[in-house]
Amino acid sequence: MSQINKKWYQGMFSNEDWWAAWLGLFFFGLGLLSIWGLDAVGWIAKPKTWEFSNLIHDFSWSKLLKVSSKNYHHLHPLASLFITYFVFLILTSIGAYFQKLNVKKYIIGFTVIFFLTWLTWIIGHEAHLSAANATVKGHNYYQEYNLSWGLQLGGGASFILALIIGLIIGNFFKGFANKIKEAAKPEWFIKAAIVLLGIKLGIMSMKAMGFTKELALAGAAAAFVAYLLFWPIVYFIGRKYFGLNRDSAAVLSSGISICGVSASIATAGAIKAKPVIPIAVSTLILVFAMFELIVLPPLYTNLAPNQPIVNGAAMGMTVKTDGADAAAGAILDQLMISKHLKKTGEHWEEDWILSAAILTKVWIDIFIGIWSFILAYVWIKKVDRGNIKEKIPLSEIWFRLPKFVMAYILVWLIYLGIMYFFPDIIGAAKSGAHIAQGPYRKLLFMLTFLSIGIITDFSKLKGMGKLAILYAVALFAVIAPIAYFVAYLFHHGMMPPVVAK
Amino acid sequence: MITPGEFILSFQQGAWICKQDAFRCYTESLDELDEILLQKFKQAGYKGKIEIKYLFDFDAFPVWMRQYMPHYFNRKITLTI
């Protein structure tokens, strides 16, 4: 069975990008039912902050988990967890079936990944790891549990833990990793989560329209400026100092400069390079993305603790692949909020730093389709001129356009529409929206963290030789500093709203 | 026997593979493939301009990569005999 793109609607039910859009839109739709007074999302479980000795002394599941909405208060926390499992399993298995994955393997893999994710999520909520010594939403868990020490990582503790466990499985238990890999789909999970982040952007717009608009426009401008600089510099270094041929230099330049694996495939396709080139480059990108994800959030948090939005935007331009970028943005969001809270007692609203990282990446994702089209044209006319007359179908832009981004923007626009045209129902819309963009999105993020670790195998760096060296040089000497400079230029002075002091 | 129109393009073990019904062609480069098709059409008695569309079969990519981008390329060329 071949996988070709001939008609505009092809792939709607067979590729992950579309399925991310469907999954995100489905949860968004469920959340929207709150407008008519129906709570169709509140059954989902969410973790609670707990303390080890307190739990041992008097164990109760309700100390670890709770149901998301009071409309479902009668549900036992474990029942809520199992409902969450079955709903996510059924929905994603339907997607897996249409994507022609091995459904039996997927179900087994998803079950393992789901419960491992919850285990790490619950452990990450232990007060010594997560609680900050400050009052947030009426609670100071640090003092309520009389802690003598604490890492005060906020939600970042769960993310980091999931990543570490995923990496241990992916690198030290490779047989086990292979058994569950069918369900380790970080891009699918994160793209669905990004669609739900569109709700958050909508809610943010309701609160601070001017700032949200400024953030979106600054993200677009920064992404555009940065990539006009990144690509030619990396291409030049690759050709001049590393002796790469034109095809390899172009594919690598896009991979490092634009949006990672998707950009390397799109560019290779545009210049009609042999598929072995993007396959090699993509392997490299995934391993390096993991380094970026581990190193950059704590680095930016400590180097520039007073530039949250600049840090988020710089992250979006530096970390490759949507999964790693969103994951890095989420860790940065939590680390910076916790650090600021600890230092000043002031609590920044969650997700603005993450949104800065996502918004720059979303523009880049859109940009890649257009960039590939331009590159294809340049390649035919200037670089690889043959005797055969060749045309580039305009449909190429459509096939390369990320559909989850369309869903993300659609969700945002629907909330903007509610704000402008139906202001009376904002309150009702928000109640479902908060749950869809909260526990649902966070669960998808957690699944991404574990999955991305499982599929990252550092040993694949072996034998990459000069490509790996070029990647490291370009990333740390070109991409990261320029991205930071451009992010500073466009986002300087922007601060997330303060929710508590 | 080949006809103008669509061909499925794939890549395996260093070679481009072009298919249309029972027709199969393995080449090192796309230029070589264009040339072979040109000759085949010529031998079949075609004259003038012939439009060809190559549709790349994304199954040629490893499964783990398909989550990042579901499309490689489609290519439209005109052969003049």
Side-chain angles (χ1 to χ4, degrees), chain A residues 1-6 15-16 184-188 191 261-262 265-266 268-269 272-276 278-279 282-283 286 321 388-391 393 396 399-400 455, chain B residues 6 8 11 14 16 28-31 34-35 38 49 51 53 55-79:
Chain A
M1 192 68 182
S2 59
Q3 238 191 95
I4 54 165
N5 289 309
K6 193 169 141 187
N15 75 47
E16 261 159 334
K185 301 286 176 199
E187 287 292 299
W188 186 17
K191 286 173 181 174
V261 177
S262 49
I265 298 171
K272 280 124 201 135
K274 290 184 175 176
V276 287
I279 291 172
S282 299
T283 306
L286 286 190
T321 81
I388 305 284
K389 193 179 163 201
E390 184 171 345
K391 268 189 207 162
E396 293 290 89
F399 289 132
R400 290 185 184 125
I455 66 161
Chain B
E6 289 169 359
I8 305 293
F11 190 86
W16 295 98
E28 277 282 307
S29 71
L30 290 175
D31 290 343
D34 296 342
E35 190 54 40
L38 183 78
K49 290 187 185 244
E51 298 255 315
K53 192 169 185 183
L55 302 167
F56 190 86
D57 180 2
F58 210 69
D59 272 350
F61 274 83
V63 174
W64 68 266
M65 277 180 77
R66 294 179 205 165
Q67 60 183 314
Y68 297 94
M69 172 64 74
H71 180 71
Y72 200 46
F73 66 82
N74 291 337
R75 182 168 179 249
K76 249 180 174 173
I77 61 165
T78 307
L79 300 174

